[in-house]
Amino acid sequence: MATSPFPVTSTRTNAFTRCNSMSRFLDFSSRNSNFKLLFVRTSTSQHFRTSLVVRNIASDQTQILKDAVTEEVATPLDSFTPDSASIASSIKFHAEFTPLFSPERFDLLKAYFATAQSVRDSLIINWNATYDYYEKMDVKQAYYLSMEFLQGRALLNAIGNLELTGPYAEALSRLGYSLENVARQEPDAALGNGGLGRLASCFLDSLATLNYPAWGYGLRYKYGLFKQNITKDGQEEVAENWLEMGNPWEIARNDISYPIKFYGKVVIGSDGKKHWVGGEDIQAVAYDVPIPGYKTKTTINFRLWSTKVSSDEFDLLAFNAGEHAKAYEAHTNAEKICYVLYPGDESMEGKSLRLKQQYTLCSASLQDIIARFERRSGESVNWDEFPEKVAVQMNDTHPTLCIPELMRILIDIKGMRWEEAWNITRRTVAYTNHTVLPEALEKWSLELMQKLLPRHVEIIEMIDEELIHTIIAEYGIKDTDILQKKLKEMRILDNVDLPASVLDLFVSEETSAADSSEEVEGSVEEVEGSVEEVEGSVEEVEGSVEEVEGSVEVEGSVEEVEGSIEEVKSSDAEIESSDGEDESEGNDTKKKQPVFLKPDPKLPKVVRMANLCVVGGHAVNGVAEIHSEIVKAEVFNDFYKLWPEKFQNKTNGVTPRRWIRFCNPDLSKTITKWVGTENWVLDTEKLAELRKFADNEDLQTEWRAAKRSNKAKVVSLIKEKTGYNVSPDAMFDIQVKRIHEYKRQLLNIMGIVYRYKRMKEMSAEERKEKFVPRVCMFGGKAFATYVQAKRIVKFITDVGATVNHDSEIGDLLKVVFIPDYNVSVAELLIPASELSQHISTAGMEASGTSNMKFAMNGCVQIGTLDGANVEIRQEVGEDNFFLFGAQAHEIAGLRKERAEGKFVPDPRFEGVKAFVRSGVFGPYNYDELMGSLEGNEGYGRADYFLVGKDFPSYLECQEKVDEAYRDQKRWTKMSILNTAGSYKFSSDRTIHEYANDIWNIKPVELP
């Protein structure tokens, strides 16, 4: 007989009968063929298997589906709240009857999967009811498309939103495990990398919590971005394995798939319509994940696409002939689309794969959205209502192909005219810009796109042509300087010939100019004749002043006409100059491109995706006040002048559920106690009430205790991840974000090197008096192909290896790079943080979201006036934010000054570079890294991100940080006021603004 899989009992029978209040909980009701799992309590103790009742009405062919839906919608969902006993029974059921593991053991991993499946049962009930109700009410829905969703672990968030944390903790305790240990078994979903994905996930949480009808759409990456290991050589990338054991939160919808096409050609059929034929065909298959709201029944859908081809594509003949790679080539080509987030794009194959990913997301999602719209519309589909029922939000430029893809579907498949389809598209789609960096505003090779998506290029060309006509209608073609500037900045197709319809306008202008020349020359001859007559009259009647004055007037008109002749001749000369070389071509020369608009053959022809987003969407928003102003004043200034009504600001936010209520329970209890309600989790404005208690000694004591508890957890984390021992008494100074030069981790580590250098120059007594003990933590991933970012990672780890083993320094300074930074790590680091660094070059960070999480958890920040830092500083108070560095409006001038050789580096900065080059941090050659901070011009030189310029200001600001931290009462007050001032930065506020100002959707509460 096999041993029991449940360690708390001696036999399997006892395992299932241990609880006095047993649960018989399977009641399957038909609802769109979805099973519904209910907890039904009983008061008798009996063998589990004899208490299991399965009623499957889904197979009842007489069931009328429509009636079932109507009845279900009216059924109250809160008729039963599970207790710990029924939850324990549910977990045991899934361990036994939803097997993913062998039955011999009930270990932690098996406990996690069974627990997750038990939670999913509860989610499915609300999930199905939510969308049954949306279908019935036919409400407008928002669809959020993003290449990234950085979800983090789902278990604790789900049971927290369901208000079942206590019962689940007790249930698992009955089974011999702690909820915390079970939750640790869940891997982070590897569907994102940085702030873009974290924001998208916060938005899903807020949408569900606020009862807004919405879906999220993304791709199901098998291997994620990468798992980061830190070795003696720096960062090492290995594939994520988050799906290796399966994902208990997702449901494969094998009945929901859509065709996706690549390559091929466009032909005109016998019906006169264009058809995209041939090429490579794959299938996008749906995987659904429920997203529960907090204290609400609403559970929205997060749909992920995976790619495949049918088994028919497997070449059995080739396989049996030993050509194995050829046999499954089609499968490999399809499946690899969803292998890796942001595959390397140095090669043409990598670029092609990225473009395939973007198109797959857009096409599958739009086909799904349209199918749902048509189903709801019934037999009579009114396409004019599509924008009244559907709002599509493009999170950054990655989903830009939504615009030509929606046009393709509406024109080629639904048979609409261009004008009708264009009107619908522009009313449906909106765009969020997340960057001011030129290299991040995506540009795709026109040649690649023509090869991969030929029909879409035709549509983009027509959109570009319409845009050019709009620009010309606004600015005309006479002022060639203005026209050249506008077309250079605004065209979607860059460095591409003008379309024929635009060249015709220049032909018309030339013809008009030639006609004017002939007319003016005729007028001049007439006027000259008149002048001769007048001059004769003047000689005859010299005494007549009036006649002489009249002759002066005529002479004035002659000057005007002669001036006109010169203008016309000058115009003719320009035309002759540009066309003279091709006069032999006859009338065709009239359609030659004006010289000032000719493409440069040395430059690539590209499709500017951001410009397409602005043109094709009805709204464009930035993600912080300063960012939105930069978008209007610099990034899309010409578009803003043309369509000012399109541009908005939507300052980012983060969900207070995950980012304080669940990850920081000790501080949350303290907040609830002092504001008098837990409702601050839904209404973060109540956090502002903490301001009146900021000086209260009792609150400060409780506040410090919560922080200390969180710091103790991070001490353990650091030991586990890196092997380093750190003191919880030191200040925890943290910078965690994607590794990038503009985020200036290099400035941080150079400041740490200066700190270390100064310490080494002092006696032990001087060190202790001068410096506050610090643990300086870094976390974040450098893209695999971003060499300079990887050098920075290597530099940080080398500094840490030296400093952390220096016995003279001890606990006064530790430098730790925490490998494989993700949401779960952030949920430990952020509550423990005391100082966080948001030190990007001013004007280069769109917003940031980690700064909001840190502020919410009472962390004091040091930073520049960049992104959301500006608004955070306004809300928390200038005295509670350590500000340094140049401001955004100064950056261009400072770079110009550097290029002119006028910049004089601070001696301390020069000393740090020399110290690094001395080899104190090991044998690695840091000339390339230090060299990027030197010189006045050249690629990878001249300190483009102004590390040297801001270095003195940064050091002085850090001295103020030390001074403030020594006064713990002052520091704790600053910490409290940061939490109090963070109320604005809830994603709930942001989602309300999107819903009201862009999507025009309303909350829908389930009955």
Side-chain angles (χ1 to χ4, degrees):
M1 181 177 178
T3 57
S4 169
F6 301 101
V8 292
T9 60
S10 57
T11 69
R12 190 171 300 173
T13 299
N14 287 337
F16 287 120
T17 60
R18 188 169 182 266
C19 303
N20 187 41
S21 178
M22 276 301 294
S23 169
R24 195 172 67 246
F25 55 86
L26 287 185
D27 183 355
F28 292 102
S29 300
S30 171
R31 178 164 61 210
N32 290 352
S33 301
N34 289 315
F35 292 134
K36 176 177 166 188
L37 187 57
L38 302 175
F39 296 93
V40 183
R41 299 184 54 186
T42 73
S43 58
T44 59
S45 177
Q46 53 186 309
H47 192 284
F48 182 84
R49 283 172 180 160
T50 63
S51 69
L52 181 64
V53 178
V54 178
R55 181 164 56 89
N56 185 352
I57 307 179
S59 61
D60 185 352
Q61 300 301 313
T62 63
Q63 182 74 21
I64 302 175
L65 187 61
K66 185 175 180 180
D67 292 343
V69 171
T70 305
E71 290 170 10
E72 285 295 342
V73 167
T75 301
L77 299 176
D78 54 359
S79 57
F80 171 66
T81 301
D83 60 10
S84 62
S86 61
I87 289 171
S89 294
S90 173
I91 292 170
K92 289 185 289 186
F93 166 78
H94 281 292
E96 182 79 2
F97 293 103
T98 314
L100 292 171
F101 303 89
S102 58
E104 287 78 20
R105 294 180 302 160
F106 185 65
D107 59 15
L108 264 175
L109 188 59
K110 187 172 184 178
Y112 159 66
F113 271 86
T115 303
Q117 287 156 343
S118 169
V119 176
R120 194 182 72 176
D121 291 341
S122 297
L123 297 181
I124 286 175
I125 297 170
N126 290 344
W127 195 17
N128 288 340
T130 298
Y131 284 98
D132 285 345
Y133 193 62
Y134 290 171
E135 290 280 328
K136 179 188 176 187
M137 301 304 293
D138 192 21
V139 295
K140 182 176 184 177
Q141 288 186 215
Y143 299 94
Y144 198 83
L145 273 66
S146 178
M147 289 296 286
E148 288 189 47
F149 286 88
L150 202 57
Q151 292 289 97
R153 292 169 175 161
L155 179 58
L156 293 180
N157 194 74
I159 62 175
N161 280 358
L162 290 169
E163 299 180 273
L164 293 175
T165 302
Y168 266 92
E170 186 178 340
L172 284 166
S173 179
R174 288 168 177 253
L175 299 174
Y177 289 115
S178 73
L179 174 59
E180 186 177 3
N181 286 337
V182 169
R184 282 202 196 106
Q185 305 308 303
E186 180 178 2
D188 278 37
L191 299 171
N193 175 42
L196 187 74
R198 188 58 240 156
L199 178 75
S201 295
C202 286
F203 280 4
L204 293 185
D205 179 87
S206 287
L207 284 163
T209 296
L210 301 175
N211 301 303
Y212 281 113
W215 287 47
Y217 281 109
L219 294 183
R220 183 177 177 265
Y221 304 107
K222 186 175 182 179
Y223 301 116
L225 181 71
F226 57 82
K227 184 176 181 179
Q228 181 192 54
N229 293 331
I230 298 298
T231 71
K232 62 181 179 62
D233 297 318
Q235 173 180 290
E236 176 187 72
E237 306 89 24
V238 296
E240 287 273 13
N241 61 353
W242 75 290
L243 287 175
E244 203 163 84
M245 302 297 289
N247 179 9
W249 302 104
E250 69 182 15
I251 295 177
R253 304 293 193 189
N254 293 316
D255 59 329
I256 299 177
S257 66
Y258 297 98
I260 310 294
K261 182 184 288 293
F262 305 111
Y263 306 110
K265 60 183 178 180
V266 180
V267 299
I268 299 177
S270 57
D271 56 0
K273 296 180 181 178
K274 290 193 172 183
H275 299 272
W276 183 15
V277 299
E280 176 185 312
D281 296 301
I282 66 167
Q283 293 288 318
V285 182
Y287 285 76
D288 287 350
V289 179
I291 305 294
Y294 178 71
K295 291 189 176 183
T296 178
K297 302 165 190 173
T298 300
T299 302
I300 66 172
N301 196 34
F302 175 32
R303 178 158 285 178
L304 297 168
W305 299 109
S306 188
T307 46
K308 68 173 190 177
V309 292
S310 71
S311 56
D312 294 343
E313 296 293 330
F314 183 76
D315 191 342
L316 194 57
L317 218 64
F319 189 85
N320 287 331
E323 300 179 83
H324 298 158
K326 178 183 176 183
Y328 53 76
E329 183 179 10
H331 288 262
T332 302
N333 286 338
E335 292 168 5
K336 72 181 181 183
I337 290 172
C338 292
Y339 274 175
V340 175
L341 168 64
Y342 302 138
D345 60 355
E346 298 295 310
S347 66
M348 187 53 67
E349 290 78 7
K351 290 181 172 66
S352 178
L353 186 57
R354 278 209 188 189
L355 191 55
K356 282 185 174 182
Q357 286 183 332
Q358 295 185 5
Y359 179 61
T360 297
L361 171 65
C362 296
S363 181
S365 302
L366 284 172
Q367 290 183 69
D368 196 42
I369 292 165
I370 288 170
R372 192 171 302 108
F373 170 74
E374 290 180 318
R375 186 178 69 248
R376 288 186 183 183
S377 299
E379 295 181 0
S380 178
V381 178
N382 182 357
W383 286 102
D384 286 339
E385 291 184 352
F386 188 77
E388 307 305 322
K389 298 295 183 183
V390 171
V392 174
Q393 188 70 34
M394 301 182 296
N395 191 30
D396 215 351
T397 53
H398 307 125
T400 305
L401 288 168
C402 279
I403 294 167
E405 174 66 0
L406 183 53
M407 291 291 289
R408 183 190 71 84
I409 293 172
L410 295 178
I411 294 171
D412 295 356
I413 299 175
K414 304 304 175 184
M416 290 188 196
R417 294 177 295 105
W418 173 273
E419 293 79 8
E420 184 182 4
W422 187 229
N423 178 49
I424 290 171
T425 298
R426 294 187 76 182
R427 289 165 56 207
T428 300
V429 177
Y431 162 53
T432 300
N433 173 272
H434 283 278
T435 185
V436 299
L437 298 177
E439 64 270 22
L441 294 172
E442 285 188 300
K443 298 177 183 179
W444 283 104
S445 160
L446 179 61
E447 181 182 1
L448 171 61
M449 192 175 285
Q450 282 174 326
K451 181 180 178 183
L452 196 67
L453 303 169
R455 179 60 178 135
H456 296 77
V457 168
E458 290 184 348
I459 292 169
I460 292 170
E461 286 173 343
M462 293 180 71
I463 296 173
D464 184 59
E465 181 175 353
E466 188 162 308
L467 171 64
I468 295 170
H469 282 286
T470 301
I471 295 169
I472 289 174
E474 182 73 18
Y475 300 103
I477 60 176
K478 289 187 177 179
D479 191 329
T480 56
D481 289 339
I482 289 180
L483 182 60
Q484 183 177 16
K485 177 182 177 297
K486 296 296 179 182
L487 293 180
K488 182 177 177 57
E489 293 296 322
M490 300 175 72
R491 281 195 69 183
I492 298 165
L493 300 176
D494 187 31
N495 202 41
V496 175
D497 289 322
L498 289 172
S501 64
V502 176
L503 293 179
D504 287 342
L505 297 177
F506 287 94
V507 172
S508 300
E509 182 70 11
E510 291 169 16
T511 303
S512 174
D515 292 343
S516 297
S517 175
E518 292 175 3
E519 291 175 6
V520 171
E521 286 176 354
S523 300
V524 170
E525 290 176 1
E526 293 177 7
V527 172
E528 285 176 342
S530 301
V531 170
E532 290 176 1
E533 293 177 7
V534 172
E535 286 174 344
S537 300
V538 171
E539 290 174 1
E540 292 175 4
V541 196
E542 289 181 344
S544 175
V545 175
E546 290 180 3
E547 287 183 21
V548 170
E549 288 175 346
S551 72
V552 171
E553 291 175 8
V554 175
E555 287 176 353
S557 68
V558 172
E559 291 173 2
E560 291 173 10
V561 173
E562 288 177 340
S564 299
I565 295 171
E566 291 302 317
E567 288 179 14
V568 172
K569 287 181 178 178
S570 174
S571 175
D572 285 343
E574 289 178 10
I575 295 169
E576 287 171 6
S577 172
S578 62
D579 288 348
E581 61 191 63
D582 294 313
E583 283 179 352
S584 61
E585 296 179 14
N587 292 332
D588 288 343
T589 61
K590 296 294 185 180
K591 287 196 177 183
K592 281 197 66 68
Q593 189 134 241
V595 173
F596 67 93
L597 294 176
K598 283 186 177 180
D600 186 341
K602 297 177 183 177
L603 298 176
K605 300 178 188 294
V606 297
V607 183
R608 297 192 282 197
M609 306 304 270
N611 289 19
L612 179 54
C613 285
V614 176
V615 175
H618 66 89
V620 178
N621 71 277
V623 289
E625 287 178 2
I626 186 174
H627 170 237
S628 295
E629 290 305 311
I630 292 171
V631 165
K632 292 190 291 186
E634 297 176 23
V635 183
F636 297 127
N637 181 251
D638 291 302
F639 286 110
Y640 174 65
K641 290 176 180 177
L642 185 62
W643 297 309
E645 70 283 355
K646 281 192 180 190
F647 289 81
Q648 304 183 21
N649 174 57
K650 296 287 172 280
T651 297
N652 283 344
V654 298
T655 167
R657 271 75 61 185
R658 182 180 289 271
W659 289 112
I660 182 167
R661 174 63 183 84
F662 301 147
C663 75
N664 200 345
D666 292 341
L667 188 64
S668 296
K669 288 175 186 174
T670 299
I671 293 170
T672 297
K673 173 184 173 181
W674 285 87
V675 303
T677 177
E678 197 184 42
N679 200 43
W680 60 267
V681 181
L682 289 168
D683 181 10
T684 51
E685 289 192 6
K686 294 187 183 303
L687 290 174
E689 295 179 23
L690 289 169
R691 286 173 175 154
K692 59 189 177 189
F693 305 116
D695 289 308
N696 187 288
E697 289 187 8
D698 291 337
L699 173 58
Q700 289 203 0
T701 299
E702 293 175 30
W703 201 270
R704 284 193 290 268
K707 186 67 73 173
R708 174 76 181 205
S709 173
N710 291 323
K711 289 174 73 175
K713 295 176 186 177
V714 171
V715 170
S716 299
L717 174 74
I718 291 173
K719 178 66 175 175
E720 176 192 341
K721 296 284 188 181
T722 71
Y724 291 133
N725 292 307
V726 301
S727 169
D729 297 321
M731 178 201 297
F732 277 17
D733 171 351
I734 301 178
Q735 186 180 19
V736 283
K737 50 185 78 243
R738 178 166 52 93
I739 309 298
H740 197 292
E741 289 169 277
Y742 89 84
K743 293 179 183 288
R744 298 205 294 190
Q745 286 92 350
L746 186 55
L747 173 60
N748 186 351
I749 192 63
M750 293 286 277
I752 291 169
V753 170
Y754 175 78
R755 191 181 188 90
Y756 177 63
K757 179 174 176 287
R758 286 290 311 280
M759 285 180 177
K760 295 294 287 181
E761 294 166 350
M762 297 178 177
S763 67
E765 293 75 19
E766 288 174 325
R767 287 184 206 119
K768 288 182 180 178
E769 184 179 343
K770 176 70 176 175
F771 296 105
V772 165
R774 287 203 200 194
V775 179
C776 301
M777 296 174 233
F778 294 82
K781 296 179 180 179
F783 278 117
T785 57
Y786 191 173
V787 175
Q788 192 75 329
K790 294 178 78 170
R791 287 190 184 119
I792 293 171
V793 173
K794 168 66 175 165
F795 184 32
I796 293 168
T797 58
D798 280 354
V799 172
T802 298
V803 172
N804 299 343
H805 292 98
D806 192 328
S807 57
E808 290 184 359
I809 303 302
D811 286 339
L812 262 182
L813 182 62
K814 297 291 185 185
V815 181
V816 178
F817 192 101
I818 298 176
D820 204 36
Y821 177 70
N822 58 20
V823 173
S824 296
V825 173
E827 288 171 349
L828 289 172
L829 292 183
I830 291 173
S833 62
E834 293 173 290
L835 178 74
S836 64
Q837 306 216 23
H838 305 275
I839 57 177
S840 52
T841 311
M844 301 197 77
E845 183 75 85
S847 170
T849 53
S850 66
N851 45 7
M852 300 169 184
K853 298 165 198 166
F854 280 105
M856 205 171 271
N857 283 273
C859 180
V860 183
Q861 301 188 34
I862 180 172
T864 53
L865 282 179
D866 196 26
N869 287 1
V870 177
E871 293 160 78
I872 289 173
R873 182 169 176 262
Q874 290 170 353
E875 298 298 331
V876 305
E878 294 181 4
D879 293 338
N880 305 305
F881 186 104
F882 293 101
L883 178 68
F884 77 96
Q887 297 186 31
H889 69 273
E890 300 173 309
I891 300 301
L894 291 170
R895 285 178 180 147
K896 184 173 183 289
E897 179 184 282
R898 180 76 183 232
E900 293 171 351
K902 297 177 182 178
F903 172 70
V904 179
D906 188 279
R908 292 168 293 182
F909 187 62
E910 294 300 288
V912 168
K913 288 190 296 178
F915 191 56
V916 172
R917 283 180 163 134
S918 72
V920 67
F921 300 116
Y924 187 83
N925 187 339
Y926 282 107
D927 283 345
E928 287 288 342
L929 189 59
M930 296 299 106
S932 70
L933 306 174
E934 298 171 338
N936 297 325
E937 60 183 1
Y939 181 76
R941 303 274 296 174
D943 193 12
Y944 184 78
F945 301 98
L946 304 182
V947 173
K949 175 63 182 178
D950 281 348
F951 190 73
S953 174
Y954 180 67
L955 294 183
E956 290 154 15
C957 198
Q958 288 285 14
E959 289 179 2
K960 294 177 183 177
V961 171
D962 278 4
E963 179 186 348
Y965 193 77
R966 286 191 183 93
D967 183 349
Q968 278 294 292
K969 184 173 181 179
R970 176 191 170 192
W971 188 272
T972 306
K973 179 180 180 180
M974 294 172 73
S975 173
I976 293 167
L977 291 174
N978 265 268
T979 298
S982 70
Y983 67 88
K984 172 182 175 180
F985 304 104
S986 166
S987 51
D988 294 352
R989 185 262 316 151
T990 314
I991 285 299
H992 276 312
E993 292 177 3
Y994 274 98
N996 294 330
D997 303 340
I998 296 178
W999 302 333
N1000 191 28
I1001 60 173
K1002 306 296 181 186
V1004 178
E1005 290 194 46
L1006 273 66

